């Protein structure tokens, strides 16, 4: 039996998306910029997808820009806004950002920008008052992750965004982990820019979007990363990946339809697994609990066992989990996220993440608990 519990790293492309993408590749392969029938058909596929993605976050479709994924969207925001300014200014990020925000911010800092990294509490949460205090007259952007990838903690996005809106500062959120797991409505939430990525909600890898609020973000608030043919309203040049974009659109439509029931189902499975593992004294949960946590997300550290060792043992047993962030799990550095949350080097190195998804069932949960108990009993017997 094989069980995939690493949906935070990527999710399997759903069959409906594969079928649609195959059809589009067969019959809608025209260049969307071409003026003839082939081009028009591709344009129609892209515009349909734009509506579907917009609907998922209740956005004006005009504000949806297709990109190659979360990393590009995040980079586009930080680097694009920075390049709009002649001299270095000030930006605010949290200390629990994904590297797709963290590293562009670090790059800008090396080039004279001032970067404030907001601290988080033991659960990984940013305190809105800290954000209010950090703003300066020359703050041009605040970027705070909507839900943290390693520990599943959901940030108080509404409060954080409102502070920025009151101060007339652009607010970006990396919602790559949140989209498809929780409802995000950019009409009611004070969000100016939002990154999302298809492969986290059963679309394919290499495609995503940046939402740019057309009302609050002036047309030229950010300079495009990629210049060329002027596709995507000039924000992202390059012939669009029509099939991948169509797949993203369908994944978004299905995610919207299923969001409520599927999130509730996953939260129930997650809580059941937490309960089943609660009798293991050395396995300590990390991150927020309850409604402030992504519904499909569990994270722990073991007091004595290296996270990568546990990942390998689970893999031998046919269960895929990850240690720390999957995006950086090739390195042997302890999770920087756990460190800033106040955990020790050993605790950070021993952290693991289990992220549930569509294929996981009640029976899986019982089996996973059994396997974890067995592995840990065996380790303790060594
Ligand atoms: C929070 C977050 N932001 C950005 C990314 C990068 O997204 P992509 O893989 O689409 O480039 C990830 C991927 O794991 C993520 O978890």
């Amino acid at each position: 039996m094989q069980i995939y519990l690493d949906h935070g790293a990527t999710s399997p492309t759903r069959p409906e998306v594969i079928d649609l993408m195959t059809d589009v590749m067969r019959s809608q392969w025209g260049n969307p910029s071409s003026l003839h029938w082939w081009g028009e058909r591709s344009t129609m596929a892209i515009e349909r997808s734009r509506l579907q993605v917009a609907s998922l976050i209740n956005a004006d479709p005009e504000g949806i820009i297709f990109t190659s994924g979360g990393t590009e969207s995040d980079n586009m925001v930080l680097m694009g806004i920075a390049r709009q300014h002649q001299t270095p200014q000030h930006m605010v990020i949290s200390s629990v950002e994904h590297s797709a925000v963290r590293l562009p911010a670090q790059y800008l800092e090396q080039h004279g920008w001032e970067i404030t990294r907001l601290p988080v509490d033991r659960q990984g949460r940013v305190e809105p008052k800290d954000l209010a205090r950090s703003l300066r007259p020359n703050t041009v952007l605040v970027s705070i992750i909507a839900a943290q990838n390693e520990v599943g903690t959901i940030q108080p996005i509404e409060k954080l965004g409102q502070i920025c809106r009151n101060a007339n500062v652009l607010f970006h959120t990396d919602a790559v982990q949140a989209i498809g797991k929780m409802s995000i409505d950019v009409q009611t939430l004070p969000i100016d820019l939002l990154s999302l990525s298809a492969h986290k909600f059963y679309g394919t890898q290499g495609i995503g979007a940046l939402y740019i609020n057309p009302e609050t973000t002036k047309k030229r608030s950010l300079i495009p990363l990629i210049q060329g043919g002027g596709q995507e309203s000039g924000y992202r040049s390059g012939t669009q990946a029509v099939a991948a974009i169509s797949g993203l659109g369908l994944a978004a439509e299905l995610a919207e339809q299923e969001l409520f029931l599927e999130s509730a189902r996953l939260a129930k499975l997650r809580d059941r697994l937490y309960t089943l593992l609660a009798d293991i004294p050395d396995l300590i949960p990390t991150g927020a609990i309850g409604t402030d946590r992504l519904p499909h997300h569990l994270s722990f550290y073991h007091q004595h066992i290296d996270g990568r060792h546990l990942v390998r043992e689970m893999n031998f047993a046919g269960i895929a989990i990850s240690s720390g962030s999957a995006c950086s799990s090739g390195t042997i550095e302890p999770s920087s996220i756990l460190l800033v949350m106040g955990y020790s080097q050993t605790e950070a190195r021993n952290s693991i993440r289990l992220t549930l998804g569509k294929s996981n069932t009640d029976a899986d949960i019982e089996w996973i608990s059994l396997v974890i108990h067995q592995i840990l009993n065996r380790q303790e017997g060594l």
Side-chain angles (χ1 to χ4, degrees):
M1 173 138 125
Q2 284 199 312
I3 300 179
Y4 186 72
L5 275 190
D6 202 12
H7 294 81
T10 198
S11 57
T13 309
R14 51 194 306 165
E16 303 93 321
V17 168
I18 297 176
D19 289 348
L20 175 68
M21 286 178 64
T22 310
D23 280 354
V24 170
M25 280 189 282
R26 278 191 213 287
S27 60
Q28 281 168 281
W29 43 261
N31 185 328
S33 300
S34 300
L35 295 179
H36 46 62
W37 185 80
W38 284 266
E40 275 171 13
R41 279 171 55 77
S42 292
T43 299
M44 273 162 54
I46 289 177
E47 294 316 313
R48 179 186 165 87
S49 176
R50 206 180 306 281
L51 291 173
Q52 289 164 313
V53 173
S55 172
L56 177 61
I57 56 170
N58 196 24
D60 179 344
E62 235 186 80
I64 303 295
I65 306 298
F66 293 116
T67 65
S68 66
T71 302
E72 184 185 328
S73 298
D74 287 346
N75 271 265
M76 188 166 159
V77 171
L78 274 85
M79 301 306 288
I81 288 177
R83 287 173 64 202
Q84 181 62 27
H85 294 271
Q86 304 293 328
T87 53
Q89 308 289 326
H90 175 236
M91 282 187 190
V92 180
I93 64 171
S94 81
S95 50
V96 292
E97 293 302 311
H98 187 271
S99 49
V101 166
R102 196 157 25 102
L103 293 186
Q106 190 179 307
Y107 174 88
L108 291 173
E109 196 171 38
Q110 286 157 358
H111 289 78
W113 280 69
E114 291 175 299
I115 306 291
T116 300
R117 293 170 182 83
L118 296 174
V120 291
D121 62 17
R122 181 93 176 161
Q123 298 195 327
R125 208 175 292 109
V126 171
E127 170 56 56
K129 281 194 200 114
D130 288 338
L131 171 61
R133 273 194 291 266
S134 75
L135 296 180
R136 304 179 193 168
N138 68 337
T139 309
V140 295
L141 176 72
V142 171
S143 178
I144 311 275
I145 193 165
Q148 216 290 321
N149 41 303
E150 287 184 46
V151 293
T153 301
I154 297 171
Q155 298 295 344
I157 288 301
E158 183 164 11
K159 286 191 184 140
L160 298 169
Q162 198 52 55
I163 291 168
C164 295
R165 195 144 288 177
N166 294 345
N168 207 16
V169 173
L170 287 176
F171 179 64
H172 165 246
T173 187
D174 173 342
V176 166
Q177 292 288 338
I179 292 292
K181 308 295 180 313
M182 54 187 267
S183 158
I184 295 194
D185 179 336
V186 296
Q187 303 285 338
T188 54
L189 290 170
I191 293 174
D192 301 309
L193 300 136
L194 175 148
S195 304
L196 60 87
S197 177
H199 74 102
K200 308 292 184 179
F201 56 96
Y202 310 103
T204 52
Q205 293 147 357
I207 190 71
L210 175 64
Y211 163 68
I212 304 178
N213 186 329
E215 278 176 24
T216 59
T217 312
K218 282 190 253 62
K219 186 85 184 158
R220 287 287 157 235
S221 300
L222 75 171
I223 292 183
L225 272 188
I226 301 177
Q227 314 246 13
Q231 289 88 345
E232 297 298 304
S233 310
Y235 281 115
R236 208 289 187 175
S237 287
T239 303
Q240 289 102 326
V242 186
I245 290 174
S246 300
L248 162 61
L250 181 57
E253 183 179 325
L254 296 173
E256 186 181 352
Q257 281 168 16
E258 295 168 2
L259 184 64
F260 185 68
L261 286 180
E262 182 60 1
S263 296
R265 188 187 78 88
L266 291 175
K268 218 165 132 210
L269 293 183
R270 177 199 64 188
D271 292 344
R272 172 83 185 131
L273 188 51
Y274 268 131
T275 306
L276 289 173
L277 298 176
D279 65 344
I280 306 174
D282 290 338
L283 195 63
I284 318 288
T286 57
I289 42 169
T291 51
D292 283 353
R293 186 181 188 94
L294 287 171
H296 69 310
H297 196 294
L298 298 93
S299 57
F300 304 89
Y301 71 88
H302 192 279
Q303 280 180 330
H304 311 295
I305 305 173
D306 189 294
R308 284 171 306 133
H309 179 72
L310 268 182
V311 171
R312 277 196 294 272
E313 290 289 319
M314 294 284 282
N315 187 41
F316 287 140
I319 301 176
I321 65 165
S322 72
S323 70
S325 164
C327 301
S328 58
S329 62
T331 68
I332 48 166
E333 292 296 308
S335 155
S336 66
I337 302 300
L338 270 284
L339 293 179
V340 297
M341 287 166 62
Y343 291 90
S344 69
Q345 294 266 340
T346 308
E347 289 165 344
R349 193 168 282 117
N350 293 0
S351 68
I352 54 168
R353 174 184 77 172
L354 286 61
T355 37
L356 304 161
K358 288 181 77 58
S359 66
N360 299 130
T361 62
D362 289 327
D364 287 354
I365 299 301
E366 308 295 320
W367 178 248
I368 294 157
S369 161
L370 206 73
V371 170
I372 293 179
H373 276 90
Q374 270 180 2
I375 289 174
L376 295 179
N377 284 341
R378 206 170 54 223
Q379 301 295 316
E380 267 153 32
L382 288 178

